[in-house]
Amino acid sequence: MSCSPAELKKKSDEFLTKWQLCKDHPGIDGFVEFAVAVSSFTEFLDAKGLPGLHQTARALEQQVLSQFDRWNSDPIPDAPMSDLDGQITEFSVRINAFLEENNDPNPERRLHQESEVINDLLPVKKIWLVTSVPETWKEVVTQAGYFNIQVEVCGPHYDQKATQDPTIVLVDANGLQPTGFIVRVQALRGRFSASSIIGLNLPSDFEGLKLALRVGCDFCFPVGTAQSTVMARIVKLCGSEEEPPYRVLVVEDSKTASTLIQRTLKESGVESMAISKPQEVLTALAKFQPDLVLMDMYMPGCTGVEVTRVIRQHEEFLSTPVVYLSADTSIALQVDALRLGGDHFLTKPFNPVVLNAVVKSKIDRYRILRRSMYLDSLTGLLNHTTSKQRVDAAVTRALADDLPLCVAMLDIDHFKKVNDTYGHPMGDQVIRSVAWLLKQRLRKTDAVGRYGGEEFLVILPQATGEMARQLLDRIRIDFSQFHHPVKASSFACTFSCGIAQLAPGISAQALVKLADEALYQAKRQGRNQIVGG
């Protein structure tokens, strides 16, 4: 769970308060506000890694939204309100039970507290592996330990184990009849509110996967999936990365409409900025860096389509989604608007639930596109170009604020021998292992990129050379203890590292070059060591 019990309690209380207001004033307007609250709470539970509660909330959300097609009168009939009240009461009971089981604080701990090492490690992540053939998963269990993930292998009596939710429950279908697997997943889903449930060794047919997802699996791996792929999913789910809040630029000349839109977005946790003059759009885009633009269609002296066409003249905003808002229901207008740079068209007055759904779905796809542009496909780290851009930005900030900055270059030792001996797929796995370890051990303010084939660049803002050296040397030692499985045996790898600290008069390019020179000095001195810092 990536949110505290206190945060969940606060969101739950806000949700229940909205429902109480809706019951006290059972009209369409109040019900619309409650529907927005349901959608917001559902998305919150998903974002915070509470899949069991999220599935319950999603079913409730569907029930709420289905009522819009049935009611055309005010006030809302008593019967559906009573049914919803019962479901919400049951949902509240489950939330409270979960909070009671997870009320012990579990703060982040600092590695080697006596030192000034700059990295914080999350507590050990605990996951379950429910399987009747534990011997086939020995390497996964071992590898998970390297990433601070403790795997508890559970046999048929897993139901007698402690009740606190593990981060992940892996359910192995190997050796189970299909009905046995389904029953097992249903029981686990009903028991754990915050655990991601992953099905392993499932048939790859459509109906089987559909049923597994329906009864509670969050993800499924079919028979034959490489264990390295499963390991990648485990590491990702146990990571601490969180998406930044969605950001929307509202271009709307009506102050009333603009306020209503921003209020609707805020209730779903979306940050927004509003401008009333379309002539300010380029400045606002550069300053606010939104994920999406909500564009009024008609403004004094300018149409939304004209504004969008101006936006699309700038390469950096070519892929930024633009959603139009207009009271005009003309199909010809909508088609023309979409052909000339728009991505979606909503009519006023808008349904706030639909508005938030459109905004978030468009932003999700936009962020996926952006990630493919600036992240390395093998490791999920920054790619070469983006790494250089981040160094430039970090140097600029450090010089402006008179703060320390270190840059490090890492290179896996004798990597060609790994590829030649064990094959390129195993080489890729070694590269991913370095990437996973770096992402886990570095702060959220740090940045790490895959600079070349087996070479990595690490950016450490506000870190002195000694602090950077302590951090990276512990990562180096830990990585050297990894055992990469291959057939009946395993092998270990090491890496070398060079560190450079920013000083007056040094450019970003020069800083990277200094780190690279230190790296090659470490190679010449025998490898598996750090130079600089």
Side-chain angles (χ1 to χ4, degrees):
M1 179 174 66
S2 60
C3 73
S4 66
E7 186 180 6
L8 174 60
K9 178 70 164 59
K10 179 182 177 183
K11 291 293 290 187
S12 174
D13 288 346
E14 290 173 355
F15 163 74
L16 293 173
T17 298
K18 287 285 189 182
W19 175 238
Q20 188 60 50
L21 289 172
C22 184
K23 289 197 297 181
D24 292 342
H25 306 282
I28 294 296
D29 290 342
F31 191 78
V32 168
E33 285 204 18
F34 173 66
V36 173
V38 174
S39 291
S40 176
F41 194 35
T42 301
E43 290 162 355
F44 168 83
L45 295 171
D46 185 30
K48 294 300 182 179
L50 298 163
L53 292 176
H54 170 252
Q55 287 190 14
T56 305
R58 185 170 176 272
L60 178 62
E61 178 190 36
Q62 292 298 305
Q63 180 70 14
V64 169
L65 296 179
S66 69
Q67 304 306 321
F68 283 110
D69 296 327
R70 303 175 187 174
W71 301 339
N72 52 19
S73 62
D74 215 351
I76 296 168
D78 291 337
M81 289 291 285
S82 178
D83 289 343
L84 284 173
D85 193 43
Q87 293 179 50
I88 291 167
T89 299
E90 291 178 8
F91 186 31
S92 177
V93 168
R94 185 172 186 189
I95 292 171
N96 289 332
F98 173 75
L99 289 171
E100 287 178 9
E101 292 172 0
N102 294 272
N103 59 3
D104 291 331
N106 198 9
E108 291 189 356
R109 62 179 175 86
R110 183 173 293 276
L111 181 67
H112 303 286
Q113 296 189 20
E114 73 280 1
S115 73
E116 295 184 351
V117 177
I118 58 178
N119 66 308
D120 286 320
L121 287 179
L122 293 174
V124 173
K125 297 284 187 178
K126 296 183 179 180
I127 71 175
W128 280 15
L129 171 60
V130 182
T131 179
S132 57
V133 283
E135 63 277 4
T136 63
W137 296 99
K138 285 183 179 179
E139 294 299 344
V140 167
V141 173
T142 301
Q143 285 232 331
Y146 299 142
F147 300 102
N148 222 29
I149 300 167
Q150 177 184 321
V151 182
E152 184 166 359
V153 180
C154 309
H157 302 296
Y158 63 87
D159 56 320
Q160 299 175 9
K161 293 185 178 293
T163 57
Q164 189 163 11
D165 293 22
T167 304
I168 304 169
V169 180
L170 302 164
V171 186
D172 188 2
N174 191 4
L176 287 177
Q177 293 296 320
T179 53
F181 176 81
I182 295 304
V183 169
R184 184 164 290 183
V185 170
Q186 285 177 318
L188 289 164
R189 182 75 289 160
R191 178 178 176 182
F192 294 131
S193 296
S195 302
S196 294
I197 297 180
I198 298 178
L200 304 173
N201 287 315
L202 290 164
S204 57
D205 64 285
F206 177 84
E207 289 299 326
L209 293 175
K210 182 189 74 174
L211 184 56
L213 294 168
R214 177 182 291 174
V215 299
C217 283
D218 299 293
F219 199 84
C220 297
F221 286 110
V223 174
T225 301
Q227 290 195 356
S228 60
T229 303
V230 177
M231 191 67 223
R233 175 69 59 167
I234 292 172
V235 172
K236 181 177 180 180
L237 289 174
C238 289
S240 58
E241 293 179 274
E242 285 191 40
E243 282 281 321
Y246 294 161
R247 297 163 70 87
V248 172
L249 176 65
V250 181
V251 184
E252 170 64 70
D253 65 305
S254 166
K255 180 68 173 176
T256 301
S258 179
T259 300
L260 177 60
I261 292 168
Q262 287 192 281
R263 176 188 168 194
T264 299
L265 295 171
K266 185 178 180 180
E267 288 180 351
S268 276
V270 178
E271 295 181 356
S272 64
M273 172 183 178
I275 58 173
S276 57
K277 298 178 180 178
Q279 294 80 7
E280 300 171 351
V281 70
L282 295 178
T283 302
L285 283 166
K287 177 182 178 182
F288 189 58
Q289 293 292 310
D291 298 296
L292 180 141
V293 179
L294 274 176
M295 182 81 68
D296 186 20
M297 181 54 76
Y298 295 111
M299 292 168 282
C302 194
T303 68
V305 173
E306 289 176 316
V307 179
T308 301
R309 292 185 71 186
V310 170
I311 291 172
R312 298 304 191 218
Q313 304 307 303
H314 295 261
E315 187 174 355
E316 63 269 36
F317 306 130
L318 270 176
S319 59
T320 304
V322 175
V323 175
Y324 293 112
L325 290 169
S326 176
D328 195 329
T329 58
S330 166
I331 297 298
L333 172 72
Q334 295 183 27
V335 170
D336 195 43
L338 296 174
R339 282 177 175 169
L340 294 173
D343 295 275
H344 202 89
F345 202 103
L346 291 172
T347 55
K348 298 178 181 178
F350 58 83
N351 182 312
V353 178
V354 175
L355 174 67
N356 281 323
V358 168
V359 164
K360 291 190 172 183
S361 66
K362 294 293 182 185
I363 290 177
D364 283 340
R365 287 164 178 77
Y366 173 57
R367 288 189 170 184
I368 289 171
L369 173 64
R370 283 196 306 181
R371 279 194 289 269
S372 70
M373 294 170 61
Y374 67 75
L375 297 184
D376 172 61
S377 60
L378 176 65
T379 62
L381 302 178
L382 301 176
N383 61 25
H384 179 87
T385 300
T386 310
S387 297
K388 292 172 65 176
Q389 293 170 348
R390 290 292 181 90
V391 174
D392 289 341
V395 167
T396 300
R397 284 194 299 268
L399 292 174
D401 298 335
D402 193 26
L403 292 171
L405 169 71
C406 282
V407 166
M409 296 290 287
L410 282 69
D411 187 86
I412 301 172
D413 297 326
H414 302 296
F415 186 72
K416 183 178 184 301
K417 184 177 179 181
V418 173
N419 278 337
D420 291 345
T421 305
Y422 304 107
H424 288 276
M426 180 54 70
D428 288 347
Q429 182 58 26
V430 172
I431 289 172
R432 278 194 292 262
S433 296
V434 177
W436 293 340
L437 189 61
L438 290 171
K439 283 197 290 187
Q440 187 188 61
R441 298 294 180 88
L442 298 175
R443 303 166 300 172
K444 293 180 180 179
T445 52
D446 299 330
V448 56
R450 186 182 178 200
Y451 206 67
E454 66 273 16
E455 195 172 38
F456 302 84
L457 183 143
V458 181
I459 306 166
L460 303 166
Q462 300 184 42
T464 64
E466 180 57 30
M467 293 165 68
R469 187 183 181 91
Q470 287 185 50
L471 165 63
L472 293 169
D473 204 39
R474 287 200 173 93
I475 295 174
R476 178 191 63 80
I477 293 169
D478 288 348
F479 180 68
S480 69
Q481 297 172 354
F482 279 33
H483 292 279
H484 305 279
V486 53
K487 296 182 179 179
S489 63
S490 63
F491 67 94
C493 285
T494 60
F495 68 70
S496 302
C497 175
I499 300 173
Q501 185 170 358
L502 182 64
I506 298 179
S507 66
Q509 184 177 1
L511 187 63
V512 172
K513 184 178 180 181
L514 287 172
D516 200 44
E517 290 172 351
L519 166 63
Y520 279 95
Q521 184 179 342
K523 293 278 191 182
R524 288 192 297 269
Q525 291 178 182
R527 296 182 172 83
N528 191 23
Q529 60 184 275
I530 294 178
V531 169

